[in-house]
Amino acid sequence: MNGRPALTSGQLARLGFLDGPRATAAFERMGPHAGELVHLVATSADPDACATYLADLADRVPEGNEMLAALLDDEGLAMRLLSVLGGSEALADHLLRHPDQWRDLRDPALGSTRPPAYHLRACLLAAVDADPDDPAPVASMPDGEACDALRVEYRRLLMLLASRDLAHHARIDDVAAELSDLAAGTLEAALAIARARVGPEAAATCRLAVVAMGKCGGHELNYVSDVDVIFVGEAVDGSDEQAALRVSTQLATHLIQICSDHTGEGTIWPVDAALRPEGKAGPLVRTLASHEGYYERWAKTWEFQALLKARPVAGDTALGQAYQETITPMVWTAVEREGFVTDVQAMRRRVVESLPNEQVVRQIKLGPGGLRDVEFAVQLLQMVHGRADERIRVPTTLSALAELTRGGYVGREDGAALEAAYMFLRTLEHHMQLYGLRRTHVVPDHPESLRRLGRAMGGRKDPAAELEKTWKAHAREVQRLHEKLFYRPLLDAVAALPGEGARLAPDAAKQRLAALGYADPDGAFRSLEAMTSGLSRSAAIRRQLLPVMLAWFADAPNPDAGLQGFKRISEALGSTHWYLRTLRDEGEVAQRLARILATSRYATDLMLRAPESVAILGKDRGLDPVARDALVAESVSAGTRHEDPENGIAAVRAIRRRELFRIS
């Protein structure tokens, strides 16, 4: 190799190359710059593939030596190009088909700036000769050329995103949002081609809105994924509704074909409209009124869960916005349906049970401890508590998790652990899909594939082993927290509250207190205000607990005393980290506490004199009597531990009060 002394196979192996002769042959083809490029190529996820692709690209670019020299002069360009060549076989092949696009990677803005959605949309529409400023753009390029041009531009923009992702370690939520914007722009360009196919009748007859669902709607799309959509059609003023639906169905059908078909430039991704009302058995396009009627009368629980992420992305903007404004409020009342929580929980179990046995252990999306465990837990918490708290009504999983944690619905440590695990799993998923641009969620067990993935995730010493260890640790944590949050006993109780019962607004709260049988609704409401006002985390958790506990107090003899007792216990234990957390996460503890407080002043007084006794309610077999010998031993130990007899007597009395509380 020129520029530096030739490296031996052993030296190449230490740099991360697996096939010394192949790498040597590739570098020899690069001429005088090869010796200086070896160490740059060695930083990629797959150095052997990167070297071969770089040599092939230099052969296909008329100014190949200029390109190789530019890599040595421009560190950002080198990072971006080599990361793509070593991290994605599919995008490397795209570059070999369109070698001039390497120049696009010279843009220094790629290192720090995410392109806005309107820029991606404009690039994709311009590629098919459609006017981005037209509210209903129409492609003017011949149909076959337009379909190919759309694919080439989509892959170009995808390559630029991948270079920023791989070389500059963009945040996973930032990457997913850009992928979603790229998909939205692609749908708009495909619709422009569809309008050209249908002809002037399209604009004269109908309005069509494309609403993204799932990950695209939530701004968290993968590199390779079906894009879930719903189509909404309306007649243009003066047009027949049936004729408008016929034409809008033609447009929607063409859009699906344009994105899904294979051409000489490959395919983009499948567009899936199966989440529409009645699924594949229902019409592809419905009017807004038809959508509204379906969701009011016939929709199932899972359909409202899917609507959490609905977002208009292409077509008629005003119609898409009208759809969102009409349908979204229904999402936040769906929890009042009978059996809502158990339906969602059962649906998650069915997904796991449907997996082939050989995939369960290595499935990072649907398997136990996978991405769906995080997403289902977050969505269930959102839908149960979202009707009373608008702050958690956000479609993106990580943003929703942050709001749930900030609002006290998820503990801080639990929220941080879930966020870290979710970001790791999504990053791993992206690297798995990016290599071949294939839809996969099964972690490979082939040593070379695992090694490449491990290096892409930052491992170097033993990348495959490091990847397996970190992945399994995150999966165990996700599985543990999913069980804790998704099956939280309090969820059923909150979901069962009547619409206004989930809120503590003054008028509704006073009416509910009177209806539940509180003797002094005004006094009870003042206690509620004292416990739930303010921005503290404790107040936020009490706002979750009290709507449910009010009913539990009312099921006992003295609800007013129960509420007052809870206020006094909360004041005594307000700074104790485990108290409210236990009540939130362990529904049986909160229910037991409510029953005791509203039944026995004596037991309440015992708790107030030893507030830590509340912990007994959360322990397995915590209410079982303690054996006499154990009590004698504990009492003797506590009494003789103090030099001052009065302190010793106080310690023994504390044990006695605790046991009296346990018995009562």
Side-chain angles (χ1 to χ4, degrees), residues 293-553:
Y294 174 83
Y295 286 113
E296 285 178 342
R297 296 177 182 85
W298 310 111
K300 298 179 176 64
T301 296
W302 68 264
E303 292 179 276
F304 290 104
Q305 188 176 352
L307 287 169
L308 265 174
K309 300 179 184 294
R311 175 175 65 98
V313 294
D316 191 292
T317 303
L319 180 56
Q321 190 62 40
Y323 172 89
Q324 190 168 33
E325 291 172 358
T326 300
I327 300 301
T328 298
M330 300 183 191
V331 174
W332 307 112
T333 58
V335 69
E336 297 169 17
R337 297 159 63 98
E338 185 176 355
F340 175 86
V341 172
T342 52
D343 281 353
V344 175
Q345 292 169 340
M347 181 165 56
R348 173 61 188 137
R349 287 193 295 271
R350 286 195 296 271
V351 169
V352 175
E353 291 164 1
S354 69
L355 290 174
N357 290 335
E358 66 275 11
Q359 286 190 13
V360 171
V361 177
R362 304 191 74 79
Q363 246 279 3
I364 65 167
K365 177 182 178 181
L366 302 177
L371 291 162
R372 276 292 186 269
D373 272 354
V374 181
E375 291 163 355
F376 263 66
V378 167
Q379 289 169 21
L380 182 56
L381 287 171
Q382 281 184 281
M383 295 187 75
V384 168
H385 297 292
R387 58 177 169 164
D389 188 348
E390 294 185 2
R391 294 171 301 175
I392 62 175
R393 298 181 183 182
V394 288
T396 306
T397 301
L398 285 172
S399 299
L401 178 58
E403 289 297 335
L404 287 165
T405 304
R406 192 175 295 116
Y409 301 97
V410 176
R412 290 191 185 95
E413 291 182 4
D414 292 348
L418 275 180
E419 179 185 31
Y422 190 74
M423 291 184 73
F424 176 88
L425 292 171
R426 285 300 307 272
T427 303
L428 177 58
E429 177 188 45
H430 278 200
H431 284 302
M432 287 164 51
Q433 295 182 345
L434 188 53
Y435 184 70
L437 286 184
R438 289 191 294 271
R439 186 182 182 186
T440 178
H441 300 99
V442 179
V443 180
D445 52 12
H446 188 275
E448 286 190 16
S449 298
L450 265 181
R451 177 181 181 272
R452 184 190 68 249
L453 269 178
R455 285 175 61 88
M457 297 289 287
R460 284 297 180 266
K461 187 175 181 180
D462 188 352
E466 292 170 29
L467 174 61
E468 287 270 1
K469 180 180 178 181
T470 307
W471 164 42
K472 293 296 174 60
H474 280 305
R476 285 193 299 271
E477 188 69 354
V478 167
Q479 194 167 5
R480 179 184 73 83
L481 292 172
H482 173 78
E483 292 290 328
K484 175 180 177 179
L485 298 173
F486 194 61
Y487 296 101
R488 179 181 286 173
L490 196 64
L491 291 174
D492 270 318
V494 175
L497 292 172
E500 289 300 325
R503 299 173 176 84
L504 294 174
D507 292 341
K510 289 179 183 178
Q511 291 174 11
R512 183 159 184 261
L513 289 165
L516 286 171
Y518 284 78
D520 181 8
D522 290 334
F525 181 72
R526 286 193 294 272
S527 296
L528 284 177
E529 280 193 314
M531 285 188 281
T532 59
S533 60
L535 301 176
S536 71
R537 190 171 184 80
S538 296
I541 296 175
R542 284 194 289 268
R543 282 194 290 271
Q544 299 171 46
L545 291 167
L546 279 165
V548 178
M549 294 188 74
L550 290 175
W552 290 336
F553 293 142

Side-chain angles (χ1 to χ4, degrees), residues 280-297:
K280 294 180 180 179
L284 184 60
V285 182
R286 286 177 182 259
T287 64
L288 179 57
S290 177
H291 278 284
E292 184 178 12
Y294 174 83
Y295 286 113
E296 285 178 342
R297 296 177 182 85

